[in-house]
Amino acid sequence: MLGMKQPSRQARWERRTQVPLLVLAVAFAVAYAVPIVAPDAGEGVHRACTHAEWAVWAAFAVDYLVRLGLAADRRVFVRTHWLDLAAVVLPLVQPLRLLRLVATLMLVGRRARMAPQVRLTTYVAGAVVGLLMFGSLAVLSVERDAPRGNIKNLGDAVWWSFTTMTTVGYGDHSPTTGLGRLIAVGLMLSGIALLGVVTANIAAWFIARFERDDQVERLQLAVLRELQDEVRALRGEVARLRGGDGGDGGGAGDGSGPGAMPAQAAAGAPPSCAGQAGVTSPTP
């Protein structure tokens, strides 16, 4: 227990703030969607949603500053977390709602990737849903009031986002403003990237499955080879024992073995005695 490496303060901070920041991201999604889905809401609702968006962005900015302060090497932290810094600074350059959306998505994605319990499939599924929802809301917000726009409601926006992310592009709905086309480019690139991630994940699963099957087959072959070697050894031992038993039997049959008896002893003592008696007895 004493030899185990303790997590750094930065790692502990990231683990503790993982869930609260994700909750704030959901709150940001709601605050961003309400003015777009319900444009006729009161001025107070729109103002509250705007304040909520900035509050969420401020929370992510504080999180970045805290992690920067807890980092062992701040230069390395800035160099390896430049995307987080760009996401924090981006809304300050041009405080548009769309930039705050992009910044929050970038920060949530970075924090989700750092969580060890978030698997790749879950991350991809969340990214697809998030991009689909935010892309629909973003293009609806910039295309609804366009003079030549044909994306006028949420259903059209969701359909357009889905066809754009899957790179199908039916063409029945398309953005006409410059910002809307920029959103379309981002969705196209994101769809291609996510499709590549899903394809690579499936391919990696099949490769791992084939490698596992090959490993099991190799182990089975190794066991069979060991069994064959043991069978050969047993056969050699049996053959050796049989050869030894045959040699012992041949020695006993010709009388040359260690347990053989002399021929005279084997014939019995009475004939000898009879012969001796015949020599000494008188002739009648």
Side-chain angles (χ1 to χ4, degrees), residues 116-137:
Q117 68 273 15
V118 178
R119 297 182 180 273
L120 179 61
T121 304
T122 305
Y123 177 76
V124 171
V128 169
V129 174
L131 287 174
L132 183 65
M133 180 183 66
F134 285 116
S136 302
L137 295 174

Side-chain angles (χ1 to χ4, degrees), residues 2 8 15 18 24 41 50 80 82 122 124 163 213-214 217 241 260 265 269:
L2 296 177
S8 62
R15 185 171 60 251
Q18 176 73 33
L24 288 177
T50 301
T80 55
W82 62 270
T122 305
V124 171
T163 57
D213 293 342
D214 292 340
E217 185 177 357
L241 292 175

Side-chain angles (χ1 to χ4, degrees), residues 132-133 135-141 150-164 173 187:
L132 183 65
M133 180 183 66
S136 302
L137 295 174
V139 76
L140 181 61
S141 66
N150 52 31
I151 302 176
K152 299 298 184 180
N153 53 61
L154 185 61
D156 294 340
V158 172
W159 170 251
W160 171 83
S161 298
F162 191 83
T163 57
T164 302
H173 296 286
L187 279 180

Side-chain angles (χ1 to χ4, degrees), residues 9-30:
R9 292 189 300 170
Q10 178 186 348
R12 291 196 299 268
W13 169 266
E14 292 173 351
R15 185 171 60 251
R16 292 172 182 173
T17 57
Q18 176 73 33
V19 175
L21 289 179
L22 291 178
V23 173
L24 288 177
V26 173
F28 173 85
V30 175

Side-chain angles (χ1 to χ4, degrees), residues 44 73 170 195 204 217 277:
D73 192 337
Y170 280 103
L195 181 61
E217 185 177 357

